[in-house]
Amino acid sequence: MAADARDRVSGPMSAAPVPVPLADAAGARDTPRPLVAHGCWYPSVDPTGEWVAFICDRTGVPQLWTGAVNGPEIHLLDADPDPVTEVAWSPDGRWIAYTVAPGGGEHTRVLCVRPDGTGRRIVAGADAGSSAYLGCWTRDGSAVAVTVAEPPPPAGLALRREPAVPDPGTAFADLPPGWAERDGPATLLGGAGHGEVGPGLGEDVRPDGGSGPDGGAPDRLTAYLVDPDGLGSPVLVAAESGAATLRVCDVGEDGRFALVRRGPRGRREAVVVRTADLAARSVLRVGDGDPWIGRFSGDGRTLWLRSDHERQFAALLAASLDEDGGRVGLSVVAEREGSDLELLAFAEDGRTAALAWNVRGASELETLSLATAARPREVPLPHEVVTRITRAGPGGGMVLSLSGSQRRPGVWWASPGALSARTPWSSRDEDAVPPGRPPVRPVPLRPVARDGLHLGGWYYRAPGRDAGRPAPCVIHLHGGPEEQERPVFDPLYHELLGRGLDVFAPDVRGSSGWGRSFVDADLGTGRFAAIDDVADCAAHVVLDGLADPTRLAVMGRSYGGYLTMASLVWHPELFRTGVAVCGMSDLATFFAGTEPWIAESAAHKYGHPVRDRELLRALSPMSRVDELRVPLLAVHGEHDTNVPPGESEQMVRAARERGLPAEMLTLRDEGHEFRRADNRRLFRRTAADWMQRHLGR
């Protein structure tokens, strides 16, 4: 299909990233003694299939390591303390690219390093205030794709003028105090048009007809192919105004086309970009979740795609492409009733695919020949959830990142026709918890909401409790809202269970894994029903005789933190206490303080900060804080720019002003995610102490 008006970029582009050499930081070449019961995840294998790069937190911080696939030898490749979040070994074996979060915050940068730890350099995100993350490598390994979020303009330039067509009765004077006061620009969002994938002519405007927050360029993400050696100039692949999300997922064998994922949460798209002029040749809806959505066939005439296009659940689709990249056909290659295709990976020759299906929260893995009509081959799994799949060299094997209720995340090797084997340097199952405190295997529950919608979730029973005795129970709410509760080992849950507290972790409406309609069921005014879902889940475990109705608590992180605060003020007599972690207390101040690209994406989920101002006010816990009746603990990372710490601070302050016990724990050197072992331990113990104090055993 031809590019339309929203598939073109206007205005000046930011400077392309240039590799910045750093001092070698190869780190220890021996194997340090683990400081914590460690996890290993996000594997990426070298071309021989003999070595794997991965993330491991055995020193207390997620860092870059390499290890032998079939042996005990491992090396700490970069000893810097900045947490690592993504890893990709180049197809030619010369470089390992990885994303780090300096200072533990939310702004990230992309580095490359030689497999022996030398030649370390920043390839994107070196500029102050910018952020970058990884895309794919080109097939020959000559360049790595990176996405760069441009630094925002000075805060004093924010909100200089209103949108071109404001809604009747709206004016910036009516917005909450401090709307334009933030570390970075406040963001006014546009309409349905959200992105552009190539440069073109035209005025510099936002999708709603307005300009950027300073009257100039709109917020923008740009994606480039960068040569880590610095010998070739960066090549622009795509850009997206409005800055919702942008990732280069594949570049065809001949380099003529790139597969780009763009768009806000809940409305993501796969775009085939013609690299010669950056025109969008085909656009197809894809689901949220893992960003690695597909791959071109060797001849470039087929695009294999994980997509929920016109479907409730994501499946493997084959899009037939013409010589110009336009879509001429679409067929379903693999699907499962009631289950999402969650992860998709390909063998080196592109003829075999590995498919991980999300079956009510657990994973089922199979391999499928793309060249024949053979039935898929099931791959047995030793644990419940696959979190990443990567090809393992020319032999046809796979390297998997697995997690489960009985183990910490680990890396496993699956050779063709054989059972999966744990790599020797991944933690053993018996190392997951201290001796004498075995992990708890949860049981699935299906509560029914008051409007008849079936929900999901997992219930963890504290060890040693009589089956018929109702227990003090913590309702724990995941983030997203599109995340899903999975049966994986969570040290926080284990800490609570060790204090004699049960845990119920539900999927309220808006969660993934239960179909597109379920994900969209909390949009707009549907969020009021999501808040009621929390109360209905509490009622379910009480009526089932699992939980003591006089000793219930609610807790959650990110969106779950918002739901925690909302539940406490919408259902003030239900819970004895709450712990809100990195949650939004006022959706107006959240939009004013968050990152521009997060605001753009969040508008689809929660509402537009100007047009839907009254809805956001009605949905904000701060608007009902007078209803708060119970003690509150808030936890936040000091460098969180996704949900700024002020969201917790204002809720705690309001609770104290009303005479309620309220405390705030600020974790140093952390952002929206808590990545350092000492901080995670402090968080778990503080939260468990709080719950035990207010619920008892």
Side-chain angles (χ1 to χ4, degrees), residues 239-295:
E240 183 177 24
S241 63
T245 186
L246 188 68
R247 192 181 294 255
V248 182
C249 300
D250 192 28
V251 177
E253 193 79 42
D254 59 9
R256 292 194 305 125
F257 300 107
L259 172 62
V260 173
R261 190 188 76 154
R262 72 174 185 191
R265 290 154 37 184
R267 293 294 182 270
R268 305 208 191 274
E269 295 174 334
V271 185
V272 176
V273 178
R274 188 171 56 201
T275 56
D277 59 0
L278 306 192
R281 302 306 303 146
S282 180
V283 180
L284 198 67
R285 176 183 168 122
V286 293
D288 289 317
D290 188 73
W292 306 108
I293 55 175
R295 176 184 169 106

Side-chain angles (χ1 to χ4, degrees), residues 11-12 150 153 204 206 211-220:
E150 300 176 16
D204 184 14
R206 298 185 61 89
S211 65
D214 62 347
D219 304 315
R220 179 176 294 146

Side-chain angles (χ1 to χ4, degrees), residues 328-542:
V328 295
L330 187 66
S331 61
V332 178
V333 178
E335 62 181 334
R336 287 199 182 186
E337 181 68 28
S339 297
D340 269 316
L341 177 58
E342 185 173 38
L343 299 174
L344 175 63
F346 298 87
E348 190 170 352
D349 60 7
R351 297 182 179 181
T352 304
L355 314 177
W357 299 93
N358 181 333
V359 183
R360 295 176 296 280
S363 297
E364 293 184 7
L365 180 65
E366 61 188 18
T367 58
L368 175 68
S369 171
L370 301 175
T372 68
R375 292 179 59 85
R377 181 178 67 85
E378 182 180 352
V379 180
L381 294 174
H383 293 284
E384 291 99 322
V385 177
V386 182
T387 59
R388 185 162 171 81
I389 311 168
T390 183
R391 55 112 183 102
M398 293 181 292
V399 170
L400 312 172
S401 181
L402 298 180
S403 193
S405 59
Q406 308 297 296
R407 68 164 295 107
R408 292 182 181 271
V411 176
W412 292 64
W413 156 252
S415 59
L419 293 177
S420 302
R422 179 180 59 84
T423 53
W425 30 266
S426 291
S427 61
R428 302 173 301 170
D429 290 356
E430 54 267 33
D431 295 332
V433 296
R437 293 175 59 184
V440 173
R441 188 180 295 276
V443 296
L445 296 182
R446 292 301 306 272
V448 179
R450 63 193 63 187
D451 61 0
L453 183 67
H454 285 261
L455 312 175
W458 298 87
Y459 196 90
Y460 297 76
R461 190 74 165 167
R465 187 174 302 284
D466 296 337
R469 180 184 171 193
C473 181
V474 178
I475 308 296
H476 188 276
L477 306 166
H478 65 67
E482 309 90 340
E483 294 176 16
Q484 181 186 14
E485 192 63 38
R486 311 299 294 272
V488 298
F489 178 78
D490 189 324
L492 170 64
Y493 295 176
H494 190 264
E495 186 77 36
L496 294 169
L497 294 165
R499 308 293 184 96
L501 309 175
D502 285 8
V503 176
F504 179 41
D507 287 326
V508 301
R509 69 190 69 204
S511 305
S512 62
W514 304 96
R516 187 201 294 185
S517 295
F518 194 88
V519 172
D520 288 346
D522 66 345
L523 299 183
T525 57
R527 198 153 316 280
F528 293 110
I531 297 170
D532 286 339
D533 286 348
V534 180
D536 295 340
C537 287
H540 180 88
V541 294
V542 168

Side-chain angles (χ1 to χ4, degrees), residues 450 531-533 535 566-575 624:
R450 63 193 63 187
I531 297 170
D532 286 339
D533 286 348
S567 299
L568 292 176
V569 298
W570 258 270
H571 303 284
E573 307 302 331
L574 184 59
F575 299 106
R624 294 175 57 94

Side-chain angles (χ1 to χ4, degrees), residues 190-232:
H194 59 258
E196 301 145 359
V197 296
L201 303 175
E203 298 298 324
D204 184 14
V205 296
R206 298 185 61 89
D208 62 352
S211 65
D214 62 347
D219 304 315
R220 179 176 294 146
L221 297 175
T222 48
Y224 296 88
L225 296 177
V226 180
D227 174 12
D229 291 301
L231 302 178

Side-chain angles (χ1 to χ4, degrees), residues 475-481 483 508 531 534 554-570 578-587 606 619-622 628 632-636 640 643 647-648 651 672 674 683:
I475 308 296
H476 188 276
L477 306 166
H478 65 67
E483 294 176 16
V508 301
I531 297 170
V534 180
V554 62
M555 177 180 183
R557 195 193 70 81
S558 191
Y559 175 72
Y562 158 79
L563 272 187
T564 294
M565 291 184 278
S567 299
L568 292 176
V569 298
W570 258 270
V579 177
V581 185
C582 300
M584 305 92 73
S585 61
D586 187 312
L587 292 173
Y606 306 123
L619 286 168
S620 294
M622 282 295 294
L628 187 64
L632 173 69
L633 171 65
V635 184
H636 229 107
D640 190 350
V643 179
E647 293 299 303
S648 288
M651 192 69 178
H672 197 59
F674 304 156
F683 158 59

